[in-house]
Amino acid sequence: MRDHVRILGWLNVVLGCLGLLAALIVFLVFGGLAGIVGIAAHDDPDAVRVAVPILGALGTIIPVIVALLSLPGVIVGAGLIQFRPWARILGIILSALNLLNVPLGTILGAYGLWVLLQQDTERLFAAAPAGPR
């Protein structure tokens, strides 16, 4: 089970980092669109006053939401790799929530629940050293 926990941890880290990368790309795309609209519509100042704030707001809100949804995967994944006891509990919660994220999240969530709910895994995390604080 030790290998399965590490695999699950790395999968969470990788998918979380992909989500953070997607958030960065969305941020840059919407920022670029706002700049292009600002330059292209210089002859219609009313359109610029309406479009640029909307693009700016969407370009901020969407990446923040995606980043906030992706960050727990990175944190839990890092904790699972290090066999931190808190990571098992949060991993179970995250895996249950991932079941709603079709298709990759569903696969990861089902695998995570299978790995983290095994008695061998529970003993593995119970025997894990607390580590430095």
Side-chain angles (χ1 to χ4, degrees):
M1 278 319 224
R2 188 176 211 73
D3 291 336
H4 285 289
V5 172
R6 284 196 178 121
I7 291 169
L8 179 63
W10 281 111
L11 287 173
N12 275 303
V13 168
V14 168
L15 286 178
C17 287
L18 286 175
L20 292 173
L21 180 63
L24 177 64
I25 289 170
V26 169
F27 179 75
L28 294 175
V29 166
F30 273 91
L33 285 174
I36 290 170
V37 167
I39 293 171
H42 66 281
D43 56 336
D44 189 5
D46 291 334
V48 172
R49 273 184 281 194
V50 172
V52 171
I54 291 172
L55 289 173
L58 287 175
T60 302
I61 293 169
I62 293 172
V64 166
I65 291 171
V66 171
L68 288 175
L69 293 174
S70 300
L71 197 57
V74 175
I75 294 168
V76 168
L80 288 173
I81 292 168
Q82 298 173 4
F83 296 97
R84 301 283 186 224
W86 56 264
R88 180 178 170 268
I89 303 300
L90 291 179
I92 291 169
I93 295 168
L94 185 62
S95 294
L97 293 173
N98 275 339
L99 292 173
L100 301 173
N101 189 7
V102 177
L104 292 179
T106 303
I107 296 167
L108 181 64
Y111 179 62
L113 289 174
W114 176 76
V115 168
L116 296 174
L117 293 175
Q118 298 287 325
Q119 287 183 351
D120 292 342
T121 305
E122 187 176 351
R123 285 191 292 269
L124 185 65
F125 279 90
R133 297 217 177 214

